[in-house]
Structures are given as C-alpha cells and as structure tokens.
Amino acid sequence: MRISLLSVLPGPARATLRVLTVSLCTLPIFSAVAGAEEHEALRDLFFGAAMFHANQENYFDAIVALDTELAQFHRLDEPELDPFSAHLGQAEFSVGDLELSYRMHRQAGRAIEAVLKGNVSRSVRNEAAYRLARIHYHKQQPVNALHALEWIEGRVPERVRAQEQFLRARVFMQLGRFDEAVELLKDLKGEKSLAGFIEFNLGIAQLKSGEEARGILELTDLGKKRSSELAEQALYDKTNLLLGAYLMEAGELQQARPYFDRVNLEGPFSNRALLGAGWAEAHAGRYERALVPWKMLQNRKGTNESVQEAMLAVPYAFGKLDVHSTAAIHYGRALDSFGSEIDTLTASIHSIREGKFLQALRRKEATQVQHWVVALRNLPNAPETHYLLDLMASNDYQAFLHNYRDLNDLYERNEAWLKSLSAYEDIIRHRRAYYDPLLPKLDEQFRKLDARIKLRLEQRDTFAGRIEQMLVSRRPEYLATADEQAVRLAMRELRRQLAQNPQGFTEVTRSRVARLQGVLDLRLSTEYDQRLTQAYKHLQELNGEIEQLQGVYQSYVRSRQAATHSYTGYNQQITRLRAQIRNYQQRLEMLMARQGSMLEALAIEELERRRTQLESYQIKARFALADSYDRANALQEQREDQRKIEQYREAQPESLPDDNPPELEAGEGGDT
Amino acid sequence: MFRMLQVTILLLLTGVAVAQNVSRDEIRGLDEQIQDVKKDVIDLTATLAQLEEKLLFPSNSQVAFFVSIADGQPFELESVELRLNGEIVAHHLYTYREIQSLQKGGVQKIYTGNVQTGVHPLQVRFIGKTPSGRAYQADATYQVDKAVGPKFVEISILGTESEIHFKDW
C-alpha cells in the first residue's frame, strides 16, 4: 500500500494511520529491555559461561549450554545443593528468551507454559505470563497475548514491570482499544528504559483515539529531541516523517513542512523527508522552494526510490515555472539514469535466478560488517542489494533471512561434527592400539600387587585385633620379639619333654628351665606397657603406609578404568550420532532450499516491482520530455514572433491614424 | 496537473507485503519445520558436546579455566595469556562483543585441557584499558591443585586495580 500525497483526502489519512498503528506497535524494544536485566552475583560458573554466549547474541551456543545445565540439574538427587539452583529461575526464563530471540516461538511458549502450570510462586507465574504474552505478541496474536496478560494476578516482578505495562499498552493498540492504551502509556511516561518508545506509541494512540491535537503535540515534542545515538535519532526522524506525512494527508501543507525539515539530513529517513518537503511546497504552488530539497535529493544514491522520484519531480517543477528547456535537460538525465538502473535490475534478477543471491547470503565475510546487506553487493556476481534494502528491513523478510542463515549455520556446524566424529574414531583407534597390548601385562602385575596388598591388610587387621584385645586383657606374649618368641617355643618344647620324661632330666636342668622361663616372663611383664605403646605406634605407622598403598591401588584402578573408557563403548554411539546428523543434514538442505526459494521469490518480486516502476517513470519522462520540447519550442516561437512584431513596429516611419477621415464620418451618418 | 508520484511512508514503517506466490500458510508451515529442526539440532549438539568432553577431557584429568571481570570500574580487557606448567596454553584477544559480554557478567571458558593429579603452576597475564584510554596490565601466579575430579578455576580480573583473583569452583 502507498500513500498519495497529491490527493488530499481525509479517508486515506485515516487508513494510513490505521496501518501505521499496527506497524508502530511492533517497534522493537529489545534494546530497551536488554539493559534492564539486573547484574546478579554469580553462583554457578557454567551459568556465567552460558551468559557469555547469550550476551554476544550467540543464541545457539547459549541455548545448548543452558539446556545442558538444566538437564544435569534436574537429574540430581539433591538439586537444591547444587549452586546452579541459585540461578534456576533466571536460567529457565533465559532459555525462553533465548529461544524467542532464536526464532523458536513454539519451544519458548511450551517452556513458559510449563512454568505456568508448575508449582511456582505467584511472582514467577506472573513473570511467565508476561513472557508468554510477549511471545504471542511477536507472533502477531494480540488476543492470545491479552489472555496471557489476564493470568497475571497482582504485580509482576519490578525488573519487568515497565515492560509488562508497555506490552499491555501495545496489545490494546493492536486490538483497537486506544483509550486504555493511552492511560497505560501516560502512567509509563518517564520510564528511562523505554524513553522515546512510550511517547511514540502514546502519540499514535492519542491520534487513533480521537485526541488528535494531543497526539500531534506528543509526537511533536518527541520529534524535537536530538540524540548522538543513531537508533534514538532514527526514532525521532521517523516521528517527524510520520507527522509530516500525516499533516500533508490532512491538507495541512503549511504545518507539514517544518516536520520534514527536522529530519536529520544524514539519517536513514532523510531521502523521504526531502521528497516530502518538496511536495509540501509544490502542493502550495511554491515550485521554486520545492526545487531546493528536490535538487539536493536528486544528487543522492540513484537506486533509492525517493531519489528516482525526485529525478522526475525536479523537471516537473521547472515545467511549472515555465523553464521548459531546463526541464527537458533534467528529463533527459532522468531517462539516462532510469535506463541504466533498469539494466542493473534486469541483471540482478538474472543473478538471483542463478542462485548468486543465496550464495552471497551464505558467505561469512559479508556479515562481519555493520551494513552487511549492502556489503553483499560487493561480493562477486551478487545482485544490486540497494534495491532490496526496504524489503530486507521488513520484519517478515528479516525473519526469512535470519532463518536461512540459521539453517546454513546449523548445516555447517553439523558438517564440522561429522569431521569431528571421524577424528574421534581415529583417536579411539590409536588408544585401542596403544592400550590393548599394554593392559594385560599391567593387569598381571596388578593382580600380584593386589594379592600382596590383601595379605598385608589381613596382617594389619590381625595386629589391630590383638592390640584391641590387649587393651581389655593383658597378653604379654603377644608383644614378645621374634627372638623371645623363638625362646618361648624352645622353652615350651623343653617343658613338654620334661613332662613326658621327668626321670630323663636332672634337677639342675629343671631349675635352669624354670629360671629361664621366669626371666622371660619377668621381661615380658615388666616391659609390657612400654611394648604395648610401641606396638600401637607401629600400628599407626602401618596404617599410614597402608593408606598410601591403597591410594596407589585406587589410582591404578581409576587409571585402568579411564584407559578402558577412553576407547571402549563409543562405536555404537558414534555410528548412531553420525546417522542422526546425516538425517538432519537432509532436513536442513530441504528447508534451506524452501526458505531460499522464498527469499529469492520475494527479492525478484521486489526487483520486478522496482523495474516496472522505473519503466513507467521512463514512459512518463519520455512524454514529459516531448511535452517540454514542444512547450520550449512554442515559447521560443512565441518569443520569435514577438521579436519580429517589435522589429516591424520599429521599422515603420510613422504611425497609422487612429480615427476615420471626416468624409467617411459624414457618409456614415446617412440622410435624415 | 502532472500527477505521478507518492511518498512511500508505509514502506518505512510496515513490513513489505509477502509475495503473492508465497502464502501465509506456507510460511507458517515452513517456519514451524525450521523451529523443529533447530530444536533437534540443539539437542543433538548437546549430546555431541558431552561425548566430546568425555572423550577429550575425561573428568579425572580435566582442568578448565574461566575468565570474568570483577564488578566496579568500567574496564576493556584486550588480551589474556595463560601459562600452565610454564607453557602457554591460551592467548586470547578480545572482540568488542566479548568485552561487552564480560562487562554484563558473562564468564568466558578460555581453556580446557588435561593434567595429572597434583600441583600445577598457573601464570596469568592480562592487558587492558579504561574507556578513557588509560592502560593497565598485571601478572599473577596460582597453584592449581588437581585432585581426582575435574578442576575448574575462575580467573577474576580487577582491571583498574591491576589485580587478578583466583577462585576454585
């Protein structure tokens, strides 16, 4: 749809405003919202790592990271002990936000609906309802958005309160409930995070609700602001352009001109503003003044629609000023320019049909610069993207473009994974080749070590048991040294022999045996406490050594397990994952082809529209050129005739008499 | 009057109408399929990433270092260099978006590797500047005590104080 500025009708003005309202309601607020997030203390490192991706708008990596963390968290036996629990709510909502940014509305909606149905606090439920409403709003479903907003009971959390109210106002505007929107937006005025957007929407809502004067005043105040920030200045320029067009539609030509003049001459809306300013003067019949902005516009980038229109507007104004020869020269220039642009457009259409446009979109280097869409045309054989700027700036086309690039990105990631899987198989093969011959020998050594360790452990347990026993009842014999043990055994043997054959031994021998036994018992008895202490110390030392031994043992077990796990049990998983990736690659190729053909169709349609427009301009310019020549010739002839008459008059010696001679006068009276 | 032209305000403010040969239903259907495939690839990537970690950085030898910027004075980190056991394991030059992300509280996983259990000296060096252009740099050393499980160390940079703090997670 286009707005005629030549026909001053109240109807079109209303229609324009109706469409504008819808479009302005969808002004992006992410920039405003982005800064509103509070910087909370980090409790979980991996949540911070996910946010590192999210803050850079690497949505895919951020979603993968957060999904992984959330899945791990929900698998824990006692999740409340995990530090990630401190960020759980934030993480759940962040995933929804990221999915929304990554154009996964359905997934985001499902996640948030799950939060709504879950056992959560009212504050969390309210925030979830707000976020669900936002999803519906972005999907252009204002009725559903309003239903979601109606689930909010009480107040939403402070950090999203302003955004929630702003969203509610825009939903009301989409539903045509402008009075309610006005009230909400008035309350919001002064909210810094939404500065500019509130005033803009408030002005539109007031215009639509019948408060025309207030609306114009609101938008005028906004349009008078200035900012060094490009985005803010663009909003002010857009406001001025909108008001200028609106007033022209309403026939207020005198009032419209200042609004066009306020638009920044270097900004993205300057071309339309210059064109509008010219038409405001032309409609008022001030063609000399109309020429000032138009001539400025005429020298700008020749692919711009406003510039092309100005190429015809300038000679039109000269024609109105009866300077037909100058008009003819400008029409001639316009014709040359249109002809060359039509050729460019035709070449661009061919280039798109040959797939060059999609090739250019897939190339990474173009996206490294800020105005990557314009940079596309610098790539080899890429189409003339200056003609596609307006199309590419539209919401639908932006979504298509991003989706196409997302699909391409996913495809390339999967290709990289396929290469990685091959590399992993190589690693596994090398590990198997290294460990397989090594492990049996190690296992054999380990078994020997294991047997020794077990023996020592049993001995230690025996000693420990005896010491425990000795703490309860004295057992001096347990603490005899090896020599003493040998003596004890020898004495026991001697006593046995003495008992079996008492006559075989002398009294001296028997008394010596008894004395030796006494000496041994006395030593063991008197040194018992000291020996028990020593034994206990030795047991502690033994425990320390055994602990070290067990550490080595555990370390070996772990290393042995790690070695085994480093190359066994992967093959099936890798095969399955590879098949899955290939399956997804086929899907991605099919979807890329469909999305790509949609992009191409829209681009070609836009280029053909522009070409048709230029062809019609060409026809008009040709007729106007011929007409200008005719008028210029006629004027020249008229001047030539005038000059000849003057020359003839100058050549006459005397002037002719003005009155009749008397005889003729008398004759005319007749007889009476 | 010579009528020929119009100012295209709607192009300025509204989405360009969808091509006639592309229906809304077709767009919606395609968009839903794209959303589905995105979800599937996200899930698959998470599985693949876990497989990669298990294969390349098993938990008994895994060590990972994370870089964050401490709250306070605005600071633009330019580069960070990490030496582990005397060898350079990471040297990162920061992009504008990475700096912004760190300033918003993001944490960069700068290095993941494998080391044996025991103590490993880590040396960190950073260079950066304040928005006004004043340059800062600092070096710091830390003993990474690697036990049986995976080891995560946060390197917190206090730019304007020329300090580096370490935290075991």
Side-chain angles (χ1 to χ4, degrees), chain A residues 129-177:
Chain A
Y130 152 68
R131 286 167 189 275
L132 186 62
R134 207 175 64 177
I135 290 168
H136 285 307
Y137 176 78
H138 286 297
K139 286 163 76 177
Q140 295 171 13
Q141 297 170 345
V143 176
N144 291 348
L146 190 60
H147 285 319
L149 287 168
E150 283 165 355
W151 289 342
I152 294 173
E153 296 171 9
R155 293 164 75 88
V156 293
E158 191 62 44
R159 63 196 160 84
V160 293
R161 193 160 296 158
Q163 278 76 30
E164 182 266 332
Q165 204 171 332
F166 187 55
L167 175 70
R168 197 179 285 266
R170 287 177 300 148
V171 168
F172 281 144
M173 285 172 78
Q174 281 207 344
L175 294 170
R177 293 160 63 173

Short mmCIF file of all heavy atoms in Angstrom, two decimals, chain A residues 129-177:
data_model
loop_
_atom_site.label_atom_id
_atom_site.label_comp_id
_atom_site.label_asym_id
_atom_site.label_seq_id
_atom_site.Cartn_x
_atom_site.Cartn_y
_atom_site.Cartn_z
N ALA A 129 3.70 -15.44 32.71
CA ALA A 129 2.53 -15.00 31.93
C ALA A 129 2.90 -13.81 31.04
O ALA A 129 2.51 -13.74 29.87
CB ALA A 129 1.40 -14.60 32.88
N TYR A 130 3.67 -12.89 31.61
CA TYR A 130 4.14 -11.73 30.82
C TYR A 130 4.95 -12.20 29.62
O TYR A 130 4.78 -11.73 28.49
CB TYR A 130 4.94 -10.78 31.71
CG TYR A 130 5.97 -9.97 30.95
CD1 TYR A 130 5.59 -9.00 30.03
CD2 TYR A 130 7.34 -10.22 31.13
CE1 TYR A 130 6.55 -8.28 29.32
CE2 TYR A 130 8.29 -9.50 30.43
CZ TYR A 130 7.89 -8.54 29.52
OH TYR A 130 8.83 -7.85 28.80
N ARG A 131 5.87 -13.13 29.86
CA ARG A 131 6.74 -13.61 28.78
C ARG A 131 5.94 -14.36 27.72
O ARG A 131 6.22 -14.25 26.52
CB ARG A 131 7.86 -14.49 29.35
CG ARG A 131 8.91 -13.65 30.06
CD ARG A 131 9.86 -14.48 30.88
NE ARG A 131 10.70 -13.60 31.68
CZ ARG A 131 11.82 -13.04 31.26
NH1 ARG A 131 12.23 -13.25 30.03
NH2 ARG A 131 12.51 -12.25 32.04
N LEU A 132 4.96 -15.11 28.16
CA LEU A 132 4.10 -15.82 27.20
C LEU A 132 3.33 -14.81 26.35
O LEU A 132 3.20 -14.96 25.13
CB LEU A 132 3.14 -16.75 27.94
CG LEU A 132 2.28 -17.65 27.06
CD1 LEU A 132 3.15 -18.60 26.25
CD2 LEU A 132 1.30 -18.45 27.89
N ALA A 133 2.86 -13.75 27.01
CA ALA A 133 2.15 -12.69 26.28
C ALA A 133 3.06 -12.07 25.23
O ALA A 133 2.64 -11.77 24.10
CB ALA A 133 1.66 -11.63 27.26
N ARG A 134 4.31 -11.88 25.60
CA ARG A 134 5.27 -11.28 24.67
C ARG A 134 5.46 -12.18 23.44
O ARG A 134 5.57 -11.69 22.32
CB ARG A 134 6.60 -11.07 25.39
CG ARG A 134 7.41 -9.95 24.81
CD ARG A 134 8.65 -9.70 25.61
NE ARG A 134 9.55 -10.84 25.59
CZ ARG A 134 10.74 -10.84 26.18
NH1 ARG A 134 11.14 -9.80 26.84
NH2 ARG A 134 11.51 -11.89 26.12
N ILE A 135 5.49 -13.48 23.70
CA ILE A 135 5.64 -14.42 22.57
C ILE A 135 4.45 -14.30 21.64
O ILE A 135 4.59 -14.19 20.42
CB ILE A 135 5.79 -15.87 23.09
CG1 ILE A 135 7.16 -16.03 23.78
CG2 ILE A 135 5.65 -16.88 21.96
CD1 ILE A 135 7.31 -17.31 24.56
N HIS A 136 3.25 -14.31 22.21
CA HIS A 136 2.04 -14.19 21.37
C HIS A 136 2.04 -12.86 20.62
O HIS A 136 1.65 -12.80 19.45
CB HIS A 136 0.78 -14.29 22.25
CG HIS A 136 0.49 -15.68 22.71
ND1 HIS A 136 0.38 -16.74 21.84
CD2 HIS A 136 0.29 -16.20 23.95
CE1 HIS A 136 0.12 -17.86 22.52
NE2 HIS A 136 0.07 -17.54 23.80
N TYR A 137 2.49 -11.82 21.28
CA TYR A 137 2.52 -10.51 20.64
C TYR A 137 3.45 -10.53 19.43
O TYR A 137 3.10 -10.03 18.36
CB TYR A 137 2.98 -9.45 21.65
CG TYR A 137 3.12 -8.08 21.05
CD1 TYR A 137 2.01 -7.29 20.82
CD2 TYR A 137 4.36 -7.59 20.68
CE1 TYR A 137 2.13 -6.03 20.25
CE2 TYR A 137 4.51 -6.34 20.11
CZ TYR A 137 3.38 -5.57 19.90
OH TYR A 137 3.51 -4.34 19.32
N HIS A 138 4.62 -11.12 19.60
CA HIS A 138 5.57 -11.19 18.47
C HIS A 138 5.06 -12.09 17.35
O HIS A 138 5.47 -11.94 16.21
CB HIS A 138 6.94 -11.65 18.96
CG HIS A 138 7.67 -10.58 19.70
ND1 HIS A 138 8.05 -9.40 19.12
CD2 HIS A 138 8.05 -10.49 21.00
CE1 HIS A 138 8.64 -8.63 20.02
NE2 HIS A 138 8.65 -9.26 21.17
N LYS A 139 4.21 -13.04 17.72
CA LYS A 139 3.61 -13.88 16.68
C LYS A 139 2.37 -13.22 16.08
O LYS A 139 1.62 -13.83 15.33
CB LYS A 139 3.22 -15.23 17.28
CG LYS A 139 4.42 -16.14 17.55
CD LYS A 139 4.09 -17.25 18.49
CE LYS A 139 3.29 -18.35 17.81
NZ LYS A 139 3.02 -19.47 18.74
N GLN A 140 2.17 -11.94 16.43
CA GLN A 140 1.03 -11.15 15.94
C GLN A 140 -0.30 -11.81 16.30
O GLN A 140 -1.18 -11.96 15.46
CB GLN A 140 1.16 -10.93 14.42
CG GLN A 140 2.37 -10.07 14.09
CD GLN A 140 2.67 -9.99 12.61
OE1 GLN A 140 1.85 -10.38 11.79
NE2 GLN A 140 3.83 -9.49 12.27
N GLN A 141 -0.40 -12.22 17.57
CA GLN A 141 -1.64 -12.80 18.09
C GLN A 141 -2.06 -11.99 19.32
O GLN A 141 -1.90 -12.42 20.46
CB GLN A 141 -1.42 -14.27 18.48
CG GLN A 141 -1.03 -15.14 17.30
CD GLN A 141 -0.57 -16.53 17.73
OE1 GLN A 141 -0.27 -16.77 18.90
NE2 GLN A 141 -0.51 -17.43 16.78
N PRO A 142 -2.57 -10.77 19.09
CA PRO A 142 -2.87 -9.89 20.23
C PRO A 142 -3.93 -10.44 21.18
O PRO A 142 -3.86 -10.19 22.39
CB PRO A 142 -3.32 -8.59 19.57
CG PRO A 142 -3.71 -8.96 18.19
CD PRO A 142 -2.88 -10.14 17.81
N VAL A 143 -4.89 -11.19 20.65
CA VAL A 143 -5.95 -11.73 21.52
C VAL A 143 -5.34 -12.73 22.50
O VAL A 143 -5.61 -12.68 23.71
CB VAL A 143 -7.06 -12.40 20.66
CG1 VAL A 143 -8.11 -13.04 21.56
CG2 VAL A 143 -7.71 -11.36 19.75
N ASN A 144 -4.48 -13.62 21.97
CA ASN A 144 -3.81 -14.59 22.85
C ASN A 144 -2.90 -13.88 23.85
O ASN A 144 -2.78 -14.29 25.00
CB ASN A 144 -2.98 -15.58 22.03
CG ASN A 144 -3.86 -16.51 21.21
OD1 ASN A 144 -5.07 -16.55 21.43
ND2 ASN A 144 -3.28 -17.22 20.27
N ALA A 145 -2.25 -12.83 23.36
CA ALA A 145 -1.36 -12.06 24.25
C ALA A 145 -2.16 -11.48 25.41
O ALA A 145 -1.71 -11.51 26.56
CB ALA A 145 -0.67 -10.95 23.46
N LEU A 146 -3.34 -10.96 25.10
CA LEU A 146 -4.18 -10.38 26.16
C LEU A 146 -4.64 -11.45 27.15
O LEU A 146 -4.65 -11.23 28.36
CB LEU A 146 -5.38 -9.67 25.54
CG LEU A 146 -6.20 -8.82 26.50
CD1 LEU A 146 -5.35 -7.71 27.11
CD2 LEU A 146 -7.40 -8.21 25.79
N HIS A 147 -4.98 -12.64 26.62
CA HIS A 147 -5.38 -13.74 27.52
C HIS A 147 -4.24 -14.07 28.48
O HIS A 147 -4.47 -14.28 29.67
CB HIS A 147 -5.73 -14.99 26.71
CG HIS A 147 -7.06 -14.90 26.04
ND1 HIS A 147 -8.16 -14.35 26.66
CD2 HIS A 147 -7.48 -15.28 24.80
CE1 HIS A 147 -9.21 -14.38 25.84
NE2 HIS A 147 -8.81 -14.94 24.69
N ALA A 148 -3.03 -14.12 27.94
CA ALA A 148 -1.87 -14.43 28.79
C ALA A 148 -1.68 -13.35 29.85
O ALA A 148 -1.40 -13.65 31.01
CB ALA A 148 -0.61 -14.57 27.93
N LEU A 149 -1.87 -12.09 29.44
CA LEU A 149 -1.72 -10.98 30.40
C LEU A 149 -2.78 -11.05 31.49
O LEU A 149 -2.56 -10.62 32.62
CB LEU A 149 -1.79 -9.64 29.67
CG LEU A 149 -0.56 -9.27 28.81
CD1 LEU A 149 -0.86 -8.09 27.90
CD2 LEU A 149 0.64 -8.96 29.70
N GLU A 150 -3.95 -11.59 31.13
CA GLU A 150 -5.03 -11.69 32.12
C GLU A 150 -4.73 -12.71 33.21
O GLU A 150 -5.38 -12.73 34.25
CB GLU A 150 -6.35 -12.02 31.42
CG GLU A 150 -6.94 -10.77 30.75
CD GLU A 150 -8.04 -11.09 29.75
OE1 GLU A 150 -8.29 -12.29 29.51
OE2 GLU A 150 -8.61 -10.14 29.19
N TRP A 151 -3.74 -13.61 32.96
CA TRP A 151 -3.36 -14.58 34.00
C TRP A 151 -2.54 -13.93 35.12
O TRP A 151 -2.33 -14.53 36.15
CB TRP A 151 -2.51 -15.71 33.39
CG TRP A 151 -3.31 -16.63 32.52
CD1 TRP A 151 -4.66 -16.78 32.50
CD2 TRP A 151 -2.78 -17.54 31.54
NE1 TRP A 151 -5.02 -17.71 31.55
CE2 TRP A 151 -3.88 -18.20 30.96
CE3 TRP A 151 -1.50 -17.86 31.10
CZ2 TRP A 151 -3.74 -19.16 29.96
CZ3 TRP A 151 -1.35 -18.82 30.12
CH2 TRP A 151 -2.46 -19.46 29.55
N ILE A 152 -2.07 -12.71 34.85
CA ILE A 152 -1.26 -12.04 35.87
C ILE A 152 -2.16 -11.61 37.02
O ILE A 152 -3.17 -10.93 36.81
CB ILE A 152 -0.53 -10.82 35.27
CG1 ILE A 152 0.50 -11.29 34.23
CG2 ILE A 152 0.15 -9.99 36.35
CD1 ILE A 152 1.15 -10.18 33.45
N GLU A 153 -1.79 -12.06 38.20
CA GLU A 153 -2.54 -11.66 39.40
C GLU A 153 -1.63 -10.80 40.25
O GLU A 153 -0.53 -11.21 40.61
CB GLU A 153 -2.95 -12.90 40.22
CG GLU A 153 -3.92 -13.80 39.48
CD GLU A 153 -4.12 -15.12 40.23
OE1 GLU A 153 -3.64 -15.24 41.37
OE2 GLU A 153 -4.74 -16.03 39.65
N GLY A 154 -2.08 -9.61 40.57
CA GLY A 154 -1.23 -8.71 41.35
C GLY A 154 -0.17 -8.08 40.45
O GLY A 154 -0.47 -7.72 39.31
N ARG A 155 1.05 -7.99 40.97
CA ARG A 155 2.10 -7.28 40.24
C ARG A 155 3.18 -8.25 39.76
O ARG A 155 3.47 -9.24 40.42
CB ARG A 155 2.74 -6.22 41.14
CG ARG A 155 1.77 -5.09 41.49
CD ARG A 155 2.28 -4.30 42.68
NE ARG A 155 3.39 -3.43 42.30
CZ ARG A 155 3.25 -2.21 41.82
NH1 ARG A 155 2.04 -1.71 41.65
NH2 ARG A 155 4.30 -1.48 41.52
N VAL A 156 3.75 -7.89 38.61
CA VAL A 156 4.87 -8.68 38.11
C VAL A 156 6.14 -8.20 38.82
O VAL A 156 6.14 -7.11 39.41
CB VAL A 156 5.04 -8.52 36.57
CG1 VAL A 156 3.88 -9.13 35.83
CG2 VAL A 156 5.24 -7.07 36.20
N PRO A 157 7.24 -8.99 38.77
CA PRO A 157 8.49 -8.51 39.41
C PRO A 157 8.91 -7.15 38.89
O PRO A 157 8.68 -6.81 37.72
CB PRO A 157 9.50 -9.58 39.01
CG PRO A 157 8.69 -10.80 38.76
CD PRO A 157 7.38 -10.33 38.23
N GLU A 158 9.54 -6.39 39.77
CA GLU A 158 9.90 -5.00 39.48
C GLU A 158 10.68 -4.84 38.18
O GLU A 158 10.47 -3.91 37.41
CB GLU A 158 10.71 -4.44 40.66
CG GLU A 158 10.93 -2.93 40.62
CD GLU A 158 9.63 -2.14 40.68
OE1 GLU A 158 8.75 -2.47 41.51
OE2 GLU A 158 9.50 -1.21 39.88
N ARG A 159 11.62 -5.79 37.93
CA ARG A 159 12.52 -5.60 36.79
C ARG A 159 11.82 -5.73 35.43
O ARG A 159 12.37 -5.33 34.41
CB ARG A 159 13.70 -6.57 36.87
CG ARG A 159 13.35 -8.01 36.81
CD ARG A 159 14.52 -8.88 37.30
NE ARG A 159 14.06 -10.19 37.68
CZ ARG A 159 13.89 -11.17 36.83
NH1 ARG A 159 14.14 -10.99 35.56
NH2 ARG A 159 13.46 -12.34 37.23
N VAL A 160 10.60 -6.32 35.41
CA VAL A 160 9.88 -6.39 34.13
C VAL A 160 8.57 -5.62 34.16
O VAL A 160 7.77 -5.72 33.25
CB VAL A 160 9.60 -7.86 33.71
CG1 VAL A 160 10.87 -8.59 33.38
CG2 VAL A 160 8.80 -8.61 34.76
N ARG A 161 8.37 -4.85 35.24
CA ARG A 161 7.08 -4.17 35.40
C ARG A 161 6.81 -3.19 34.26
O ARG A 161 5.73 -3.19 33.67
CB ARG A 161 7.03 -3.45 36.75
CG ARG A 161 5.63 -2.99 37.12
CD ARG A 161 5.52 -2.73 38.60
NE ARG A 161 5.72 -3.97 39.35
CZ ARG A 161 6.09 -4.00 40.62
NH1 ARG A 161 6.29 -2.90 41.27
NH2 ARG A 161 6.25 -5.16 41.25
N ALA A 162 7.79 -2.37 33.95
CA ALA A 162 7.59 -1.37 32.89
C ALA A 162 7.36 -2.05 31.55
O ALA A 162 6.48 -1.65 30.77
CB ALA A 162 8.81 -0.45 32.82
N GLN A 163 8.14 -3.10 31.28
CA GLN A 163 7.99 -3.81 30.01
C GLN A 163 6.60 -4.45 29.89
O GLN A 163 6.00 -4.45 28.82
CB GLN A 163 9.06 -4.91 29.87
CG GLN A 163 10.41 -4.41 29.40
CD GLN A 163 11.16 -3.70 30.49
OE1 GLN A 163 11.00 -4.01 31.66
NE2 GLN A 163 11.97 -2.73 30.12
N GLU A 164 6.12 -4.97 31.02
CA GLU A 164 4.80 -5.62 31.01
C GLU A 164 3.71 -4.60 30.69
O GLU A 164 2.83 -4.83 29.88
CB GLU A 164 4.55 -6.28 32.39
CG GLU A 164 3.24 -7.03 32.51
CD GLU A 164 2.11 -6.19 33.07
OE1 GLU A 164 2.38 -5.26 33.85
OE2 GLU A 164 0.96 -6.47 32.71
N GLN A 165 3.81 -3.43 31.30
CA GLN A 165 2.80 -2.39 31.07
C GLN A 165 2.87 -1.88 29.63
O GLN A 165 1.85 -1.64 28.99
CB GLN A 165 3.05 -1.24 32.05
CG GLN A 165 1.80 -0.41 32.33
CD GLN A 165 2.02 0.57 33.46
OE1 GLN A 165 2.81 0.32 34.34
NE2 GLN A 165 1.29 1.67 33.43
N PHE A 166 4.09 -1.75 29.14
CA PHE A 166 4.28 -1.28 27.76
C PHE A 166 3.72 -2.31 26.78
O PHE A 166 3.07 -1.96 25.79
CB PHE A 166 5.78 -1.06 27.52
CG PHE A 166 6.10 -0.42 26.19
CD1 PHE A 166 5.52 0.77 25.81
CD2 PHE A 166 6.99 -1.03 25.32
CE1 PHE A 166 5.82 1.36 24.58
CE2 PHE A 166 7.29 -0.45 24.09
CZ PHE A 166 6.70 0.74 23.74
N LEU A 167 3.98 -3.57 27.07
CA LEU A 167 3.45 -4.64 26.21
C LEU A 167 1.92 -4.61 26.23
O LEU A 167 1.26 -4.70 25.18
CB LEU A 167 3.96 -6.00 26.71
CG LEU A 167 3.39 -7.22 25.98
CD1 LEU A 167 3.94 -7.30 24.56
CD2 LEU A 167 3.72 -8.50 26.72
N ARG A 168 1.36 -4.45 27.42
CA ARG A 168 -0.10 -4.41 27.56
C ARG A 168 -0.67 -3.26 26.71
O ARG A 168 -1.68 -3.44 26.02
CB ARG A 168 -0.47 -4.22 29.04
CG ARG A 168 -1.89 -4.55 29.39
CD ARG A 168 -2.10 -4.33 30.87
NE ARG A 168 -1.53 -5.36 31.70
CZ ARG A 168 -2.20 -6.42 32.14
NH1 ARG A 168 -3.48 -6.56 31.83
NH2 ARG A 168 -1.62 -7.33 32.90
N ALA A 169 -0.01 -2.12 26.78
CA ALA A 169 -0.49 -0.96 26.00
C ALA A 169 -0.46 -1.26 24.51
O ALA A 169 -1.40 -0.95 23.78
CB ALA A 169 0.39 0.25 26.31
N ARG A 170 0.62 -1.90 24.05
CA ARG A 170 0.72 -2.18 22.62
C ARG A 170 -0.29 -3.24 22.18
O ARG A 170 -0.81 -3.21 21.07
CB ARG A 170 2.15 -2.60 22.27
CG ARG A 170 3.10 -1.38 22.30
CD ARG A 170 4.52 -1.77 22.02
NE ARG A 170 4.99 -2.72 23.01
CZ ARG A 170 5.88 -3.67 22.75
NH1 ARG A 170 6.37 -3.78 21.53
NH2 ARG A 170 6.28 -4.49 23.68
N VAL A 171 -0.58 -4.18 23.10
CA VAL A 171 -1.61 -5.18 22.79
C VAL A 171 -2.96 -4.47 22.64
O VAL A 171 -3.72 -4.74 21.70
CB VAL A 171 -1.66 -6.27 23.90
CG1 VAL A 171 -2.91 -7.13 23.76
CG2 VAL A 171 -0.41 -7.14 23.84
N PHE A 172 -3.27 -3.57 23.56
CA PHE A 172 -4.52 -2.79 23.47
C PHE A 172 -4.57 -2.04 22.13
O PHE A 172 -5.62 -1.96 21.49
CB PHE A 172 -4.63 -1.81 24.63
CG PHE A 172 -5.08 -2.44 25.93
CD1 PHE A 172 -4.58 -2.00 27.14
CD2 PHE A 172 -6.01 -3.47 25.93
CE1 PHE A 172 -4.99 -2.57 28.34
CE2 PHE A 172 -6.43 -4.06 27.13
CZ PHE A 172 -5.91 -3.61 28.33
N MET A 173 -3.44 -1.47 21.74
CA MET A 173 -3.42 -0.72 20.47
C MET A 173 -3.71 -1.64 19.29
O MET A 173 -4.43 -1.28 18.37
CB MET A 173 -2.06 -0.04 20.29
CG MET A 173 -1.88 1.19 21.18
SD MET A 173 -0.22 1.86 21.15
CE MET A 173 -0.23 2.73 19.59
N GLN A 174 -3.14 -2.85 19.34
CA GLN A 174 -3.40 -3.78 18.23
C GLN A 174 -4.86 -4.21 18.21
O GLN A 174 -5.39 -4.54 17.16
CB GLN A 174 -2.51 -5.00 18.36
CG GLN A 174 -1.08 -4.74 17.89
CD GLN A 174 -0.38 -6.00 17.39
OE1 GLN A 174 -0.83 -7.11 17.66
NE2 GLN A 174 0.70 -5.82 16.68
N LEU A 175 -5.47 -4.21 19.38
CA LEU A 175 -6.88 -4.62 19.45
C LEU A 175 -7.83 -3.43 19.26
O LEU A 175 -9.05 -3.59 19.36
CB LEU A 175 -7.16 -5.30 20.80
CG LEU A 175 -6.43 -6.64 21.02
CD1 LEU A 175 -6.57 -7.09 22.46
CD2 LEU A 175 -7.00 -7.70 20.08
N GLY A 176 -7.26 -2.26 19.02
CA GLY A 176 -8.09 -1.08 18.78
C GLY A 176 -8.62 -0.43 20.04
O GLY A 176 -9.51 0.42 19.98
N ARG A 177 -8.10 -0.83 21.21
CA ARG A 177 -8.57 -0.25 22.47
C ARG A 177 -7.61 0.88 22.85
O ARG A 177 -6.81 0.77 23.78
CB ARG A 177 -8.63 -1.33 23.54
CG ARG A 177 -9.72 -2.36 23.23
CD ARG A 177 -9.54 -3.67 23.95
NE ARG A 177 -9.62 -3.57 25.39
CZ ARG A 177 -9.62 -4.62 26.21
NH1 ARG A 177 -9.59 -5.84 25.70
NH2 ARG A 177 -9.66 -4.47 27.52
#
